[in-house]
Each structure stands twice: as C-alpha cells, then as structure tokens.
Amino acid sequence: MIKIQNVTKSYVKGTKSVDNLNLEIKDGEIFGFLGPNGAGKTTTIKMITGILDIDEGDIFIDGNSISKNPIIAKKNFGFVPDNPDIFLKLKGVEYLNFIADIYEVEKELREKRIEELSKKFGIYENLNEQIQSFSHGMRQKLIIVSVLMHNPKNWILDEPMTGLDPKASFDLKELMREHVSKGNSVFFSTHVLEVAEKICDRIGIINKGKLIFVGTYEEMKQKFKENASLEDLFLEITE
C-alpha cells in the first residue's frame, strides 16, 4: 500500500507543482495516475520513490515513511522510470546483477528470474551486449526485468509501455494483473488512456498540481457523462 498525506512540492517559490495531495493506493489494485503534461505526475512519482524531497507532508510505503525510513521504504517497491537511458556502458546482464546485488537477491534465484523474465520479454539473447546498443524498447524491457527480479510488493511505473512492442505491452499488462491478484499494488502513470480504461481498478486525475478526481471509470461516467470514453471524460475534466 502507498499512502500520500498532505504532500506539497514547489520548484519555484509561490508556485506549487503538487498542492496538498492526499491519495491512497490500496493492496490488490491497479491504480492509474493521469494528467496533462506538467500536471505533477512525474513530480509525485519522484517524491514517492525518494528521488525528490517532499516540501510538506509525507509518503508511506507499506507503513514506512519515504522521508524518515527511506532504505526500508525503498525495499518495498520497484520503480520503472520514464527514461530508460541508464548505465549505458554496462552489459545487460551486468546491470541485472547490479540490481540483484542491491536488493540482495540470492545467486540461484536471480539466475532463474533473469532467464525467465528476459526470455519472456525477448531480450535474453542480448544480455551480453552493452545497454547503449539496445533500442529504446529493449532498454525499457531491461528495466522492467530488473524491477521484477526482487519481486517487490508495490510496483511504481512511470509511462512503462513507452517504446514497448504489442507483445511486450500485453505481457506487462498480464503481469500487472497477476501481481495485484496476489494482494500487491501497481501505481502507474500513462498517457495511453485506452490502456488505463481497460486495466485500472481506480483512476486518479491530477491537473495543475491538484487531484481533481479519484475513483473507478464507472464512477467517473456517473459523475460526468454516461457512455463516454475515458479519453472524452479526461479532456472534459482537465479542460
């Protein structure tokens, strides 16, 4: 479970990029976090993961404060960033072992998961190549494999399907649904509203730093417009 309490972040004095945000991502659900560019989505995700400091409020990962107990909190989530261009000089397998070392995944288990997950996403044969030779989609797949390797309870995914081919996107969605069926949580941002409409249990929409809707797609239709697509509702709400 991820709990965001009264969180505020400002980059420029007097301008709040995230304004008194309160949100709870429950165990057993896929939560879609939507908003226009510059709405505060990535800033929120960077505060959840401890990349950015929180100006006011706090965020808890399974009861552990990301501000006060960052190491414990970070062990309870896996994070896929919106940019997969990291450690480009390493080989794919070196990067995966590096991540496995950080999360203390034992040798036998990591080897099994590296093989299973990299084969599932079609990059097993490329693991001995440098990451800088990978396409954007392959880098994205590598990061997804690295995140799943230590089997974190909470997945935090920032535009995870960008650059993925249709099969990889399908496989990731299946893994997301399988993950929450075991009582875990998935929190992800996306601009692909059709995906959010189909797979999210609940949706949150942020605009200009403020949370303007939280609920199911059905609840959104009841509140704003029956028989409307999520895309139509999103445009109406944010405009």
Side-chain angles (χ1 to χ4, degrees):
M1 183 176 73
I2 300 170
K3 194 169 186 178
I4 302 170
Q5 290 186 332
N6 306 315
V7 165
T8 295
K9 180 68 179 179
S10 300
Y11 293 109
V12 180
K13 191 174 182 180
T15 303
K16 295 179 179 179
S17 298
V18 175
D19 188 0
N20 194 36
L21 179 62
N22 287 278
L23 187 60
E24 185 174 304
I25 294 85
K26 303 171 184 177
D27 291 339
E29 75 171 349
I30 298 176
F31 189 96
F33 196 46
L34 314 179
N37 288 336
K41 299 189 304 299
T42 295
T43 296
T44 299
I45 288 173
K46 287 183 176 179
M47 287 190 288
I48 294 172
T49 54
I51 296 171
L52 287 178
D53 291 333
I54 302 166
D55 291 348
E56 298 175 25
D58 207 346
I59 297 172
F60 299 88
I61 313 293
D62 292 336
N64 298 294
S65 166
I66 194 66
S67 302
K68 297 173 184 174
N69 300 298
I71 300 301
I72 296 173
K74 289 176 182 180
K75 285 185 176 181
N76 290 319
F77 68 75
F79 173 48
V80 174
D82 60 345
N83 185 346
D85 298 334
I86 55 176
F87 298 103
L88 299 181
K89 295 292 186 181
L90 292 182
K91 295 178 180 178
V93 69
E94 291 173 337
Y95 174 71
L96 294 177
N97 277 297
F98 168 63
I99 297 299
D101 286 341
I102 290 174
Y103 287 99
E104 300 176 330
V105 181
E106 62 184 39
K107 185 174 185 294
E108 185 176 339
L109 181 58
R110 79 172 61 178
E111 289 176 352
K112 179 183 177 182
R113 287 181 175 167
I114 287 173
E115 181 174 354
E116 287 179 351
L117 290 166
S118 62
K119 283 183 176 178
K120 186 174 188 66
F121 284 99
I123 58 170
Y124 182 71
E125 301 300 329
N126 305 98
L127 290 184
N128 283 312
E129 301 169 11
Q130 284 188 322
I131 299 172
Q132 64 183 358
S133 71
F134 285 17
S135 67
H136 183 280
M138 289 170 64
R139 293 177 191 180
Q140 190 77 353
K141 292 175 184 179
L142 183 71
I143 289 180
I144 292 169
V145 170
S146 74
V147 165
L148 304 188
M149 221 176 7
H150 71 285
N151 195 27
K153 187 172 181 293
N154 305 282
W155 294 0
I156 302 169
L157 316 175
D158 193 2
E159 298 289 347
M161 294 166 197
T162 301
L164 294 185
D165 54 68
K167 182 182 183 305
S169 293
F170 176 82
D171 288 341
L172 179 57
K173 286 181 281 188
E174 289 291 297
L175 287 170
M176 290 164 68
R177 180 53 61 196
E178 180 182 329
H179 188 63
V180 300
S181 72
K182 298 175 182 176
N184 303 308
S185 72
V186 173
F187 177 81
F188 84 109
S189 72
T190 182
H191 286 301
V192 186
L193 299 182
E194 290 181 2
V195 171
E197 181 178 326
K198 290 177 180 178
I199 72 169
C200 289
D201 299 299
R202 287 194 304 145
I203 292 165
I205 297 179
I206 188 171
N207 194 26
K208 298 178 181 177
K210 287 185 174 291
L211 193 66
I212 57 176
F213 176 82
V214 178
T216 66
Y217 174 44
E218 291 301 318
E219 289 169 343
M220 189 186 299
K221 289 193 293 183
Q222 291 172 13
K223 183 174 182 179
F224 296 101
K225 185 188 294 184
E226 291 285 351
N227 302 318
S229 68
L230 179 57
E231 182 178 36
D232 290 338
L233 292 169
F234 175 82
L235 293 173
E236 180 176 325
I237 294 168
T238 56
E239 288 178 356

